[in-house]
Amino acid sequence: MIACSLLLFLPAFCRPQTHFSDSLPGVLWWVLAMWPGVALLSALWSADPGRSLLGAIQSAVAPTGIFLAALAAGRNPRMLRRVLVGGSAGIALLCLTTIGGLLKGGIPLVSQGANAVLASDLIARWYPGPGLASTFALIGLPLSWWIWRERLLPWGGALVLAALLIGLLSFNRMYWLGLVVLIVIWMVSYRSGRYAPTKGRSGLLLICLCALVTLALLSTTVVRQSGSLSGQSIVQASHALAKDPRWSIWSQWLDSSMQRPLLGTGYGKEVARQVHADHFAPITAEMMDQAGKSHPHNLLLSLWIQTGLPGLLAFLCLMASLASLAAAHARRDTPARHAALALGMTIAMLFFKNLTDDFYDIALPAMFWAYAGLMAGAMRGKTPT
C-alpha cells in the first residue's frame, strides 16, 4: 500500500492542474516537513543508524507522500470515490478475517492474537491481533461514518457496521472507551440543528453509554484472561483492571528516558529497546514481561524516547495544525463540515487509542495519513484547472 501510494503521488504532483499551494495553510506545510525531517536526522546519533533511517522512511516520510497523494485525490470527487472503494475493501477484508478468526480459532484468537493459536494458520497470519485490529476499527470508524453520512458509496452503512464489528470482536478495553468518545464528539458537534438529540434523549443516551462501558470493560477483561465469558466473577475482573501492568511499564520507561532526554535514542522502537536493554535486564517483576520491555505502550512517551524533545514537539505541532484545519471547517455549515468532523475524530482516536499502546509504525501511519489526506482534500473542494 505504501509503495502504490507513493507511485500515485508522483503523477498527482506532476499534473499541471494539481495545485498543492492552496490545499493547505502555509504553517501546515512547514510542520508537515518538520516531523519527517527530525525523524530522518535522528539517524545521525542513533545506535543503529540504518534501522532508524529505514523506520523514518517507512513511518514518517512515506506517510507524508501518501497524505499528499490522498490530498490530490480527495479534491476531485470522481477520484475520491474510486480511492474510497479501495479503502472500504480494506475494512471489509479485515472484518472478514476477524469473523474467520473467531469461527476457526475461537475467542482466544480474536482476543489474544495469533500467539493463542497455531501461528502458521492462514487466518491467524492475516489477523493483526486485538490491539491493532481495534485501533484500525477506531481509525476507520470516522471515515466509514463520513462515507455513509455523505452517501459517497452505496454501501456506507455496511462499512460502518463492519468497522464496529472488528472492534467489538477484538475484546479490547480501549475500543469501548474510544467508541464512547466518538459518540460524545458526535453529540457535541450536533448540539444545535436538526441532528441534535433532545435533552431527554441525550441524558438517556449518556446513562446507557456509562452502563455499556462499565459492562464492556469488565467483560473484555474476563475474556482476555480466560478466553470465554464464563467462570470469572465481576470482582476478579475489577481487580485485574486495577492491576494493569501499564502503570509499571510507563514508570520504568520514563526512568530510562532520562538517560537521553534531549535527542533520544534514534527513530524506531527496536532501537530504543536496544539502547535501554541494560536498564530493563535486571527487572524481573511480573508486570514487566517481554511485551513491557519491548516498548513504552504510549505514543507520546515512545516518540520522546526515540526522537527527543524536537521530535515530540514536531509531531505535536503537526497534529495540532491538522486539528486546527479540521476545526476551522467544522464550524462552517457546508458539506465540508462532515469531512472536517471525521478528520477531527480520526485525530482524536489516533491519540486516544495510542495512549495505552504504540502502533504508530508502518501500517497505522500509512492508514491514518491516507484517510487524513482524503478528508482534507474533500474539505478544500474540487481541484482548480
Side-chain angles (χ1 to χ4, degrees), residues 101-102 104-117 127 129-130 169-171 223-224 226-228:
L102 180 66
K104 181 146 189 171
I107 289 179
L109 188 145
V110 294
S111 65
Q112 301 173 34
N115 293 332
V117 296
Y127 182 67
L169 292 180
S170 69
F171 293 96
V223 170
R224 295 295 294 274
S226 62
S228 67

Side-chain angles (χ1 to χ4, degrees), residues 17-303:
Q17 66 267 36
T18 301
H19 296 266
F20 285 99
S21 58
D22 63 342
S23 300
L24 299 172
V27 65
L28 187 52
W29 284 109
W30 284 104
V31 294
L32 196 63
M34 281 173 50
W35 161 242
V38 173
L40 288 171
L41 285 174
S42 69
L44 296 177
W45 54 82
S46 171
D48 192 340
R51 180 169 287 180
S52 290
L53 190 62
L54 178 62
I57 292 173
Q58 290 177 326
S59 303
V61 178
T64 303
I66 291 173
F67 174 73
L68 294 176
L71 183 68
R75 298 193 66 186
N76 188 307
R78 292 176 62 186
M79 188 179 294
L80 172 63
R81 284 175 171 80
R82 293 174 183 173
V83 174
L84 287 177
V85 170
S88 60
I91 295 176
L93 176 62
L94 181 57
C95 181
L96 292 176
T97 305
T98 305
I99 296 174
L102 180 66
L103 295 177
K104 181 146 189 171
I107 289 179
L109 188 145
V110 294
S111 65
Q112 301 173 34
N115 293 332
V117 296
L118 185 63
S120 61
D121 186 88
L122 179 63
I123 295 179
R125 290 204 306 270
W126 276 86
Y127 182 67
L132 198 52
S134 59
T135 304
F136 284 162
L138 286 175
I139 297 295
L141 263 174
L143 178 86
S144 304
W145 170 83
W146 174 49
I147 293 174
W148 171 70
R149 177 66 185 79
E150 289 296 306
R151 295 179 175 85
L152 297 174
L153 296 174
W155 53 84
L159 198 62
V160 173
L161 293 177
L164 284 170
L165 191 60
I166 295 168
L168 294 177
L169 292 180
S170 69
F171 293 96
N172 187 275
R173 305 169 196 164
M174 293 302 291
Y175 169 79
W176 287 93
L177 294 175
L179 187 59
V180 171
V181 172
L182 284 176
I183 295 174
V184 170
I185 293 174
W186 177 81
M187 291 177 62
V188 171
S189 67
Y190 288 118
R191 62 183 180 274
S192 61
R194 59 175 178 163
Y195 300 104
T198 62
K199 290 184 178 179
R201 292 179 181 177
S202 297
L204 180 61
L205 180 58
L206 287 176
I207 292 174
C208 293
L209 285 176
C210 291
L212 181 65
V213 170
T214 303
L215 291 174
L217 289 176
L218 294 175
S219 63
T220 51
T221 302
V222 171
V223 170
R224 295 295 294 274
Q225 286 181 334
S226 62
S228 67
L229 285 170
S230 60
Q232 293 287 336
S233 67
I234 292 179
V235 175
Q236 289 174 315
S238 302
H239 283 279
L241 284 173
K243 295 181 179 180
D244 194 289
R246 283 173 176 80
W247 302 113
S248 177
I249 293 171
W250 292 336
S251 176
Q252 292 296 334
W253 275 99
L254 191 60
D255 290 341
S256 68
S257 67
M258 294 297 106
Q259 300 176 13
R260 301 188 180 192
L262 184 59
L263 295 179
T265 61
Y267 194 86
K269 289 185 287 188
E270 298 84 358
V271 179
R273 181 171 65 246
Q274 175 184 338
V275 171
H276 295 298
D278 293 340
H279 174 85
F280 290 103
I283 301 176
T284 57
E286 182 181 354
M287 298 299 182
M288 287 295 292
D289 57 4
Q290 188 60 38
K293 295 179 181 180
S294 62
H295 65 93
H297 287 73
N298 180 279
L299 174 61
L300 300 181
L301 180 58
S302 186
L303 290 179

